[in-house]
Amino acid sequence: MTQAQRPEPCDFLIEAGFVVPVEPLGVVLQDHAVAVTDGEIVAVMPIAEARRRFAATETVQRPDAALIPGLVNAHTHNPMTLLRGIADDLPLMVWLREHIWPAEAAVMGPESVADGVGLAIAEMLRGGTTCCNENYFFPDVQAVVYRRHGFRAVIGLPIIDFPTAWAQTADEYFERAVEVHDQWRGDALIGTAFAPHAPYTVGDANFERIRVLADQLDIPVHLHTHETAQEVADSVQLHGQRPLARLDRLGLVNDRLIAVHMTQLAEAEIELCAERGVSVVHCPESNLKLASGFCPAGALQRAGVNLAIGTDGCASNNDLDMFGETRTAALLAKAVAGDATVLNAAVALRAATLGGARAIGLGARIGSIELGKRADLACVDLSMIETQPLHHVLSQLVYAVGRHQVTDVWIDGRRRMAARELVDIDLAQVAANARQWRARIAVGGG
Amino acid sequence: MTQAQRPEPCDFLIEAGFVVPVEPLGVVLQDHAVAVTDGEIVAVMPIAEARRRFAATETVQRPDAALIPGLVNAHTHNPMTLLRGIADDLPLMVWLREHIWPAEAAVMGPESVADGVGLAIAEMLRGGTTCCNENYFFPDVQAVVYRRHGFRAVIGLPIIDFPTAWAQTADEYFERAVEVHDQWRGDALIGTAFAPHAPYTVGDANFERIRVLADQLDIPVHLHTHETAQEVADSVQLHGQRPLARLDRLGLVNDRLIAVHMTQLAEAEIELCAERGVSVVHCPESNLKLASGFCPAGALQRAGVNLAIGTDGCASNNDLDMFGETRTAALLAKAVAGDATVLNAAVALRAATLGGARAIGLGARIGSIELGKRADLACVDLSMIETQPLHHVLSQLVYAVGRHQVTDVWIDGRRRMAARELVDIDLAQVAANARQWRARIAVGGG
């Protein structure tokens, strides 16, 4: 070597005891650093080497932590965080008709949507989630709140065959959808997806409009389907086809489709999803709590289907804890498959990060710690007594970590949580906002 | 009123936003206080009334918290906490033969047992667990460590039909069992139970000795059984009977029996358990992770069987999180039963407290907040963003709380954690002890 290289500038360097890039699968890099400039990951290398190469404006040292890609919650109804625990332990239709719908009728509107999303963002950041796939009414309001807090979100554009506070007619649903899409087109953090509610609440005509528009706008289609045996039976009775077959007839079974729940799947349907590049979002805790059934996550994994993980809304979960949800997914898959090797820790963590990113069309931008990707990152402290001794990092992350072990979060290269403190969110204010909705919701259905 | 009463002295008063006594089922007392003297609960009443009646030496105010009975982990192998995450995602026999047994062979002895239990106690206290039903070798060593930390435990007296580091022959197993029992007889915190490993590792002769001795010593019998379909099939082949029928023939199916796992149960077997007063310990996360099957918790509840919850050991879970385990139990029961109303929040919390206490023969002393019971208590902060808004306390406790929300713990009236600080445990030392076993275990099978 003839001469020392002049150090390159970089915005910040995170030096971690372990870096878990997710891609390649199963890799754990010990004592590595991640360098970020202009929100982009520009280097992943041993700490000593990074110190020689970079002159960082800021260096964050986390020798006891694992740095992981931020978690991607691939199916949420975050405004419903205000309904956390409003009614539990009830059959689906009693729960909906006697509690959720009356509560929503009482309070659903731009104000409650904004406060619910604000509460959800605080909870998600504190649990290492940096991106969510949102599905609720008033997407315009949601987008503003996510953007204000620098949170990455794909906002569902709701389509449903009956009038709601958001829109009255099919035409109005589509007009408002395109309006919201246009408003946020090209935004660094906010994307959109069509969000037809479910096969039993959306008719063929609207699904056909969605297919055409989703292609034109180049956005995903985010849909609850095959959630319960009843839904499948009703579809057969009404349409002479199971929901997936009907969606296929309508041209929607392709790599735009984000199919949520999928607890009722025949072998051929799993193969179809694999062939067509459908992403399946597994929401195990919601499926268990509502007694909907068991998504065959192991069989989907074996077939090569892109698997993502979602918490569903807080009214049916009752949290936005992606660490907990991922653990439940990994545990449940084994008993459902009768095979303890499926959804191992590495595969489960991939589903919670890169799998979610791919599902929502962001697989090239986020979901793993790779050169050129945006810096959506979370630091997880593994030195706590609950993760000692530390035999295997991936095992601890999936099977033992609690979300309170997340210390730091970055989204698009901007610090959102630092040493457990949210950067620009006043927690007391968020909690006060949530509390003032409590009484108003109770009047409705709580 | 003619004259103000002179206040009664009491050792301490806990004033909580909510007191959840567990018995009666489903009750939540708002703004109530619990008074404790000599380790005993002497009053449960509204805060204002308690302040008039008592002159407490100490008052602890927790207006944002729920005070609950300490959680009872009804099946653990706490020395195995040192093996947390040593090997995951493997079929049972590969996991045991290639990882667990070699690791145990490499390090199992009084020293590792003491350090493993020390680590487990710290983890349990931080998660609101105040009592455990222990099942491992070197019960003598365990008992000393639990006692030293003022932790309540029923210590399993292991019986297994082959030699181990603890004992070589059947006679030696029984001699050592009786010795440990005699040593701790009448202790305020430490009890004992026979712990025959499983029907496939204990022969009829030893089960018969256990039956006679358990009656004589008046202690429970803590047994893994009906854990897997293979176990049941093997028993039919070898004994011509399913394990429960064989145990019944041997006189062991009665209210002393703590039957752990029970994922394979016919309707008649559930009824038998109900009739005979057998307690079933449900370890859902272990059963899922090892692909053992699904305990029919909803059917057991409906039949009136006493249901308790256990984490199993950290090698197969991988934590001692009773909040997480209880949530998993409540969620899973609904999907397994196809009925969202089973194991509701109140019933699940009872299983995690009073159900466990009853299983281990302590139902009259702990497990609920009632007059005359020992003060085993935990405070759970519900003001955190993750449990807002607070529509229903029981719902939050079971479906949303993370164990890090536990702030204070008392066992037998002695403070064990205060505002999140363990009273007499040096966490850094506990972690250092755990870490030094890491390398030694890795040599064995990690």
Side-chain angles (χ1 to χ4, degrees):
Chain A
M1 198 184 289
T2 54
Q3 199 183 334
Q5 298 260 314
R6 182 195 298 259
E8 293 172 35
C10 82
D11 289 348
F12 61 93
L13 206 58
I14 309 168
E15 301 180 355
F18 308 94
V19 171
V20 178
V22 168
E23 182 66 43
L25 185 70
V27 165
V28 177
L29 304 166
Q30 201 159 350
D31 295 322
H32 266 57
V34 172
V36 177
T37 288
D38 294 333
E40 185 181 310
I41 296 168
V42 296
V44 182
M45 55 177 55
I47 290 173
E49 198 178 321
R51 287 182 183 172
R52 282 195 299 272
R53 176 160 149 199
F54 291 104
T57 307
E58 185 195 5
T59 298
V60 178
Q61 296 182 316
R62 294 289 181 262
D64 292 324
L67 185 70
I68 65 172
L71 303 175
V72 177
N73 189 341
H75 179 64
T76 64
H77 308 284
N78 279 335
M80 298 180 83
T81 309
L82 294 177
L83 306 183
R84 188 199 307 279
I86 192 184
D88 307 301
D89 308 315
L90 294 169
L92 180 63
M93 292 320 292
V94 176
W95 176 73
L96 277 174
R97 288 197 182 125
E98 296 179 20
H99 299 273
I100 300 302
W101 291 341
E104 289 186 329
V107 302
M108 201 243 286
E111 247 194 303
S112 67
V113 165
D115 282 346
V117 170
L119 176 63
I121 289 172
E123 181 178 348
M124 290 189 294
L125 287 173
R126 281 161 57 91
T129 296
T130 55
C131 177
C132 70
N133 189 29
E134 174 62 87
N135 189 319
Y136 202 67
F137 301 100
F138 297 96
D140 54 342
V141 174
Q142 298 160 25
V144 169
V145 180
Y146 284 113
R147 196 61 177 93
R148 183 191 310 141
H149 292 297
F151 198 94
R152 194 183 301 280
V154 170
I155 309 287
L157 307 170
I159 304 292
I160 192 163
D161 279 5
F162 47 80
T164 63
W166 169 243
Q168 296 293 309
T169 63
D171 283 347
E172 198 185 348
Y173 276 105
F174 281 98
E175 279 158 26
R176 300 201 76 175
V178 172
E179 210 173 90
V180 174
H181 171 81
D182 285 349
Q183 194 179 345
W184 294 95
R185 193 198 316 242
D187 188 84
L189 293 177
I190 305 299
T192 55
F194 272 107
H197 173 259
Y200 55 92
T201 48
V202 178
D204 285 8
N206 278 342
F207 272 126
E208 279 167 357
R209 280 176 86 167
I210 288 168
R211 178 181 48 75
V212 172
L213 274 167
D215 283 346
Q216 276 178 16
L217 307 178
D218 192 20
I219 60 175
V221 177
H222 178 182
L223 175 75
H224 304 97
T225 191
H226 286 233
E227 182 171 4
T228 64
Q230 190 66 45
E231 174 198 335
V232 175
D234 289 350
S235 174
V236 169
Q237 191 169 20
L238 196 65
H239 301 284
Q241 290 184 299
R242 289 163 66 90
L244 205 64
R246 177 175 162 236
L247 293 167
D248 193 23
R249 170 170 59 74
L250 296 166
L252 284 158
V253 179
N254 55 46
D255 62 0
R256 293 197 189 288
L257 184 60
I258 307 169
V260 180
H261 296 311
M262 300 288 261
T263 73
Q264 315 291 322
L265 288 175
E267 193 57 49
E269 290 168 330
I270 293 172
E271 280 163 29
L272 182 69
C273 288
E275 275 165 29
R276 300 289 181 78
V278 171
S279 287
V280 170
V281 182
H282 183 21
C283 303
E285 295 187 4
S286 168
N287 298 155
L288 294 175
K289 186 149 178 279
L290 297 170
S292 303
F294 302 98
C295 171
L300 289 163
Q301 178 200 338
R302 278 199 217 99
V305 174
N306 181 51
L307 199 66
I309 294 175
T311 59
D312 209 343
C314 265
S316 67
N317 183 312
N318 301 349
D319 59 40
L320 303 172
D321 179 0
M322 280 291 292
F323 278 102
E325 200 77 30
T326 304
R327 175 162 45 247
T328 300
L331 295 175
L332 186 62
K334 300 174 201 332
V336 169
D339 176 356
T341 68
V342 301
L343 242 71
N344 68 31
V347 170
L349 186 64
R350 183 177 61 187
T353 53
L354 190 55
R358 285 177 178 155
I360 60 178
L362 298 179
R365 305 195 71 214
I366 59 164
S368 57
I369 302 179
E370 292 180 274
L371 294 193
K373 282 205 169 178
R374 305 303 298 170
D376 287 13
L377 302 165
C379 254
V380 185
D381 178 5
L382 298 177
S383 72
M384 286 195 187
I385 211 78
E386 287 78 8
T387 38
Q388 290 294 321
L390 182 55
H391 293 293
H392 296 292
V393 170
L394 283 165
S395 169
Q396 302 292 49
L397 286 170
V398 172
Y399 295 119
V401 156
R403 58 174 161 169
H404 62 289
Q405 294 180 247
V406 175
T407 55
D408 304 83
V409 170
W410 293 260
I411 299 177
D412 213 46
R414 286 181 61 211
R415 190 75 160 268
R416 306 283 81 210
M417 187 162 76
R420 207 66 204 140
E421 292 296 319
L422 296 179
V423 167
D424 60 5
I425 292 178
D426 177 349
L427 267 187
Q429 187 57 54
V430 171
N433 284 350
R435 268 195 297 274
Q436 65 95 6
W437 285 102
R438 190 179 149 248
R440 296 163 71 175
I441 288 166
V443 172
Chain B
M1 196 184 290
T2 54
Q3 199 185 333
Q5 298 258 316
R6 183 194 297 260
E8 294 172 35
C10 84
D11 290 348
F12 61 93
L13 205 58
I14 309 168
E15 302 180 356
F18 309 93
V19 171
V20 178
V22 168
E23 181 67 40
L25 186 69
V27 166
V28 177
L29 305 166
Q30 203 159 348
D31 295 323
H32 266 57
V34 172
V36 177
T37 288
D38 293 335
E40 187 180 309
I41 296 167
V42 296
V44 182
M45 54 178 55
I47 290 173
E49 197 178 321
R51 286 181 184 172
R52 283 194 300 271
R53 175 158 152 202
F54 292 103
T57 307
E58 184 194 6
T59 297
V60 178
Q61 296 181 316
R62 293 288 181 264
D64 293 323
L67 185 70
I68 65 172
L71 303 175
V72 178
N73 190 341
H75 179 65
T76 63
H77 308 284
N78 279 336
M80 296 178 86
T81 309
L82 294 176
L83 305 183
R84 187 200 308 279
I86 192 184
D88 308 300
D89 308 315
L90 294 170
L92 181 63
M93 293 320 293
V94 175
W95 177 72
L96 277 174
R97 289 195 182 128
E98 295 178 18
H99 298 273
I100 301 302
W101 290 343
E104 290 186 329
V107 302
M108 201 244 284
E111 247 194 303
S112 66
V113 165
D115 283 345
V117 170
L119 175 63
I121 289 172
E123 181 178 350
M124 290 189 293
L125 287 173
R126 281 161 56 92
T129 296
T130 55
C131 176
C132 69
N133 190 28
E134 175 61 89
N135 189 319
Y136 203 67
F137 301 100
F138 297 97
D140 53 342
V141 175
Q142 299 161 25
V144 170
V145 180
Y146 284 113
R147 197 62 177 92
R148 183 192 310 142
H149 292 296
F151 197 94
R152 194 182 301 280
V154 170
I155 308 287
L157 307 170
I159 304 290
I160 192 163
D161 279 5
F162 47 80
T164 63
W166 169 242
Q168 295 293 308
T169 64
D171 283 346
E172 197 185 349
Y173 276 105
F174 281 97
E175 278 159 26
R176 300 202 75 174
V178 173
E179 208 173 274
V180 174
H181 171 81
D182 285 348
Q183 193 179 346
W184 294 95
R185 194 197 318 241
D187 189 84
L189 293 177
I190 306 299
T192 55
F194 271 108
H197 173 259
Y200 55 91
T201 48
V202 177
D204 285 7
N206 279 343
F207 272 124
E208 279 166 357
R209 280 177 85 167
I210 287 169
R211 178 179 49 75
V212 172
L213 274 167
D215 283 346
Q216 277 179 14
L217 307 178
D218 192 21
I219 59 175
V221 177
H222 177 183
L223 176 73
H224 305 97
T225 191
H226 286 233
E227 181 172 3
T228 64
Q230 189 66 46
E231 173 198 334
V232 175
D234 289 351
S235 175
V236 170
Q237 191 169 21
L238 196 64
H239 302 284
Q241 290 184 298
R242 288 163 66 89
L244 205 64
R246 177 176 162 236
L247 293 167
D248 192 23
R249 170 170 58 76
L250 297 166
L252 285 157
V253 178
N254 55 45
D255 63 0
R256 294 196 188 287
L257 185 59
I258 308 169
V260 181
H261 296 311
M262 299 288 260
T263 72
Q264 315 290 321
L265 287 176
E267 194 56 49
E269 290 168 330
I270 293 173
E271 281 163 28
L272 182 70
C273 289
E275 276 165 30
R276 301 288 182 77
V278 170
S279 287
V280 170
V281 182
H282 183 22
C283 303
E285 296 188 3
S286 168
N287 297 157
L288 294 175
K289 186 150 178 275
L290 297 170
S292 302
F294 302 98
C295 171
L300 289 162
Q301 178 199 340
R302 278 200 217 98
V305 174
N306 181 51
L307 199 66
I309 293 174
T311 58
D312 208 346
C314 266
S316 67
N317 183 311
N318 302 347
D319 59 41
L320 303 172
D321 179 1
M322 279 291 290
F323 278 101
E325 199 78 29
T326 303
R327 175 162 45 248
T328 301
L331 295 174
L332 186 62
K334 301 173 202 331
V336 168
D339 177 354
T341 69
V342 301
L343 243 70
N344 68 30
V347 170
L349 186 64
R350 182 178 61 187
T353 53
L354 190 55
R358 285 177 178 155
I360 60 178
L362 298 179
R365 307 195 72 216
I366 60 164
S368 57
I369 302 180
E370 293 181 273
L371 295 192
K373 281 204 168 177
R374 304 304 296 171
D376 288 13
L377 303 166
C379 254
V380 185
D381 177 5
L382 298 177
S383 71
M384 285 194 189
I385 211 77
E386 287 78 8
T387 40
Q388 288 298 319
L390 183 55
H391 293 292
H392 297 293
V393 170
L394 282 166
S395 169
Q396 301 293 48
L397 286 170
V398 172
Y399 296 119
V401 155
R403 57 174 161 169
H404 62 289
Q405 293 179 246
V406 175
T407 55
D408 305 82
V409 170
W410 293 261
I411 299 177
D412 214 46
R414 287 180 63 211
R415 191 75 161 268
R416 306 283 82 212
M417 186 162 75
R420 206 68 204 137
E421 291 296 318
L422 296 178
V423 166
D424 61 3
I425 292 177
D426 177 349
L427 268 187
Q429 186 60 52
V430 171
N433 283 351
R435 269 196 297 276
Q436 63 96 7
W437 286 103
R438 191 178 148 247
R440 293 162 73 177
I441 289 166
V443 172

